[in-house]
């Protein structure tokens, strides 16, 4: 016997509500721009890992004349994978400014370059706080920390293992094998504090043309060279910039690796784990925080008042959750702080947590009246920033709210009555004493 129709509709509504409750922080539509469709097959393992995690990939040639990022004022994609290092210009309505506006709108991007990087790709990287080597023929060379191959090459195949120490960006499982890299180096703009080097070159590396002899000292040397960098903008848009397109290739993902000077050979290079974990971070499958249920009220009450009085005792609470890739989990930390702010913080308190996502604290309103703000600004490496405020006025005591006799005024009361008594005694003595 089939269930009643209204029951089916109710079940569908509950399923839709449950799905909406577990909706992730970002959409799943990715535009993949290629300068050659052969890259789709040569890098298929990386693309397959994105699709296996639920992303919808739209593969397009970078010079497609119908290319567009938005239509009718709405963006068509939630993220961009730019694997077109040699393209001199994009097709359709897409150009460098359109890509930068896409990021400014809060969307994410993975950009991979190589020794054929065009001025367009270099310009986008520069705007994101990364400067590639100005020499178009230069590649990263390392005569000590290179990957051993059957052919004695020019040592441009780097076995990199200088990784950032961050479980949020690289995952909790340590990357044991070196990461294979062949490409161009870059430096992070020192004036841009938003850029992080997640894979750096070794102190013995340098950037130069491997086909010619050095006529002058190279401009980029040692650990100042970044192989892969990330940037998280103030609007929480995330960008990954790699100087190697081969880093994402099937050949590097499935290749074994042995670092020069080491007897240990790994069956698989660290590339697959590296690109998988970093792409999870870039597309907000990890390290994304949200704050909900911000509340404040007087101690002993539950309703949120429209105004506080000086010296009131109040409580403040907020729930913070982290996206785990499949659901929202309680975020646990001991460094979330609350400011009670007017021009400057009058109260700064570290909130306690119940380990279930709820953060709370209590304090006494300062003896200053005006318009205050409850302010939480939380910035932590690898996590999206939290910044939210609630404005609340604070008033002084009304004339009928003061105590009838103020304790601190007792000396003045005593002085007044003693003066009156002394005057009475003086008058009596003056009038009746002969």
């Amino acid at each position: 016997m089939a269930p009643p129709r209204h029951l089916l509709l109710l079940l569908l509504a509950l399923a839709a509500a449950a799905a909406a409750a577990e909706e992730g922080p970002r959409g799943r539509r990715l535009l993949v721009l290629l300068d050659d469709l052969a890259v789709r097959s040569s890098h298929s393992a990386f693309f397959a890992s994105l699709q296996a995690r639920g992303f919808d990939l739209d593969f397009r040639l970078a010079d497609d004349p119908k290319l567009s990022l938005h239509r009718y004022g709405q963006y068509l994609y939630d993220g961009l994978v730019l694997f077109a290092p040699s393209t001199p210009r994009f097709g359709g309505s897409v150009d460098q400014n359109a890509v930068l506006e896409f990021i400014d709108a809060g969307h994410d991007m993975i950009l991979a370059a190589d020794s054929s990087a065009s001025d367009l790709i270099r310009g986008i990287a520069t705007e994101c706080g990364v400067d590639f080597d100005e020499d178009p023929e230069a590649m990263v060379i390392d005569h000590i920390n290179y990957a051993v191959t059957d052919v004695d090459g020019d040592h441009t195949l780097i076995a990199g293992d200088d990784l950032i120490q961050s479980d949020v960006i690289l995952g909790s499982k340590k990357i044991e094998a070196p990461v294979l890299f062949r490409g161009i180096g870059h430096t992070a703009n020192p004036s841009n504090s938003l850029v992080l080097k997640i894979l750096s070159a070794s102190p013995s590396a340098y950037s130069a043309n491997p086909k010619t002899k050095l006529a002058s000292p190279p401009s980029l040397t040692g650990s100042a060279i970044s192989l892969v960098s990330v940037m998280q903008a103030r609007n929480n848009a995330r960008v990954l910039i790699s100087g190697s397109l081969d880093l994402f290739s099937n050949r590097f993902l499935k290749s074994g690796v042995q670092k020069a000077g080491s007897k240990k050979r790994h069956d698989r290079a660290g590339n697959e784990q590296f690109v998988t974990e970093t792409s999870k971070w870039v597309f907000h499958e990890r390290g994304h925080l949200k704050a909900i249920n911000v509340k404040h009220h007087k101690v002993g009450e539950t309703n949120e008042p429209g105004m506080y009085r000086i010296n009131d005792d109040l409580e403040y609470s907020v729930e913070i959750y982290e996206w785990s890739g499949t659901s929202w989990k309680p975020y646990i930390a001991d460094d979330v702080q609350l400011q009670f702010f007017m021009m400057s913080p009058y109260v700064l308190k570290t909130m306690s947590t119940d380990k279930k996502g709820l953060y709370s604290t209590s304090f006494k309103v300062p003896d200053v009246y005006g318009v205050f703000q409850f302010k939480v600004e939380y910035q932590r490496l690898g996590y999206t920033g939290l910044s939210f405020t609630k404005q609340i006025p604070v008033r002084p005591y009304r004339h009928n709210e003061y105590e009838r006799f103020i304790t601190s005024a007792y000396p003045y009361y005593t002085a007044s009555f003693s003066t009156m008594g002394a005057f009475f005694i003086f008058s009596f003595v003056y009038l009746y004493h002969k």
Side-chain angles (χ1 to χ4, degrees), residues 10-274:
L10 178 61
L11 292 174
L12 289 173
L14 290 174
E22 293 301 307
E23 185 178 356
R26 286 289 194 271
R28 317 296 282 180
R29 302 165 300 170
L30 300 182
L31 174 62
V32 182
L33 295 183
L34 312 172
D35 54 12
D36 187 345
L37 287 177
V39 175
R40 182 172 180 176
S41 58
S42 64
H43 293 62
S44 60
F46 173 66
F47 297 136
S49 72
L50 292 175
Q51 290 171 327
R53 303 202 307 266
F55 288 99
D56 181 17
L57 306 186
D58 183 10
F59 294 91
R60 306 283 289 275
L61 286 173
D63 57 359
D64 188 334
K66 298 182 179 180
L67 198 61
S68 178
L69 292 175
H70 56 80
R71 183 180 299 154
Y72 306 125
Q74 298 292 326
Y75 279 102
L76 302 173
Y77 306 98
D78 304 299
L80 177 63
V81 179
L82 191 48
F83 282 4
S86 62
T87 187
R89 63 181 62 86
F90 297 120
S93 61
V94 181
D95 55 13
Q96 177 176 320
N97 288 334
V99 173
L100 297 176
E101 289 173 1
F102 183 75
I103 298 171
D104 288 340
H107 299 98
D108 312 307
M109 181 181 72
I110 293 178
L111 182 150
D114 58 19
S115 57
S116 65
S118 64
D119 291 340
L120 173 63
I121 299 300
R122 292 172 180 268
I124 293 174
T126 299
E127 292 296 327
C128 293
V130 163
D131 298 317
F132 285 114
D133 194 331
E134 295 180 356
D135 185 351
E137 304 295 328
M139 296 181 69
V140 180
I141 303 171
D142 196 329
H143 297 301
I144 297 178
N145 295 283
Y146 60 90
V148 176
T149 59
D150 296 333
V151 180
D152 189 13
D154 50 15
H155 298 168
T156 56
L157 181 59
I158 310 298
D161 55 7
D162 188 1
L163 300 166
I164 189 172
Q165 301 300 311
S166 173
D167 291 347
V168 183
I169 298 176
L170 297 182
S172 57
K173 184 180 179 181
K174 183 180 179 181
I175 300 176
E176 301 289 347
V179 177
L180 290 174
F181 179 95
R182 177 184 280 124
I184 56 178
H186 60 265
T187 57
N189 190 326
S191 63
N192 191 335
S193 60
L194 305 175
V195 179
L196 296 173
K197 297 191 293 183
I198 61 173
L199 178 61
S200 303
S202 71
S204 58
Y206 63 95
S207 180
N209 187 344
K211 298 178 181 179
T212 61
K213 292 184 178 180
L214 283 174
S216 60
S219 57
L220 298 181
T221 59
S223 300
I225 301 175
S226 179
L227 307 180
V228 182
S229 295
V230 295
M231 185 272 292
Q232 180 169 274
R234 290 184 175 86
N235 63 355
N236 290 326
R238 291 172 174 175
V239 176
L240 181 145
I241 298 177
S242 168
S244 172
L245 180 59
D246 289 337
L247 179 81
F248 301 86
S249 67
N250 297 350
R251 185 162 58 94
F252 278 22
L253 264 61
K254 298 177 181 179
S255 172
V257 61
Q258 181 179 352
K259 190 174 181 179
S262 173
K263 296 181 180 180
K264 184 176 182 180
R265 177 174 177 80
H266 299 270
D267 295 333
R268 285 286 182 94
N271 291 56
E272 183 174 8
Q273 184 180 353
F274 178 78

Side-chain angles (χ1 to χ4, degrees), residues 410-420:
Y410 280 178
Y412 301 97
Y413 300 153
T414 304
S416 298
F417 285 113
S418 62
T419 302
M420 292 169 60

Side-chain angles (χ1 to χ4, degrees), residues 277-398:
E277 297 300 331
T278 53
S279 65
K280 286 181 180 179
W281 180 83
V282 170
F283 295 126
H284 292 258
E285 295 176 81
R286 186 171 53 238
H288 188 103
L289 302 179
K290 74 170 182 179
I292 60 174
N293 295 333
V294 179
K295 299 178 181 179
H296 59 86
H297 53 80
K298 294 180 182 179
V299 173
E301 300 181 5
T302 56
N303 294 329
E304 182 176 308
M307 180 182 297
Y308 285 106
R309 189 185 66 184
I310 59 174
N311 297 326
D312 276 346
D313 292 310
L314 63 85
E315 294 177 344
Y316 179 94
S317 64
V318 60
E319 295 179 33
I320 302 178
Y321 295 93
E322 176 186 2
W323 181 249
S324 66
T326 56
S327 62
W328 292 100
K329 303 292 186 183
Y331 176 68
I332 301 174
D334 58 1
D335 56 354
V336 182
Q337 293 185 323
L338 167 70
Q339 301 178 50
F340 198 55
F341 189 92
M342 184 177 69
M343 302 298 287
S344 62
Y346 279 75
V347 176
L348 177 62
K349 297 208 68 174
T350 300
M351 292 191 282
S352 58
T353 176
D354 64 352
K355 309 295 184 182
K356 297 179 181 179
L358 178 66
Y359 290 80
S360 61
T361 188
S362 61
F363 61 91
K364 185 182 289 291
V365 176
D367 194 4
V368 178
Y369 58 88
V371 180
F372 282 81
Q373 287 182 337
F374 294 101
K375 179 183 289 188
V376 175
E377 290 187 347
Y378 186 69
Q379 304 288 336
R380 192 172 181 182
L381 177 66
Y383 288 96
T384 52
L386 291 177
S387 179
F388 49 92
T389 60
K390 266 196 170 186
Q391 188 167 287
I392 191 77
V394 175
R395 65 173 177 82
Y397 286 107
R398 296 191 182 97

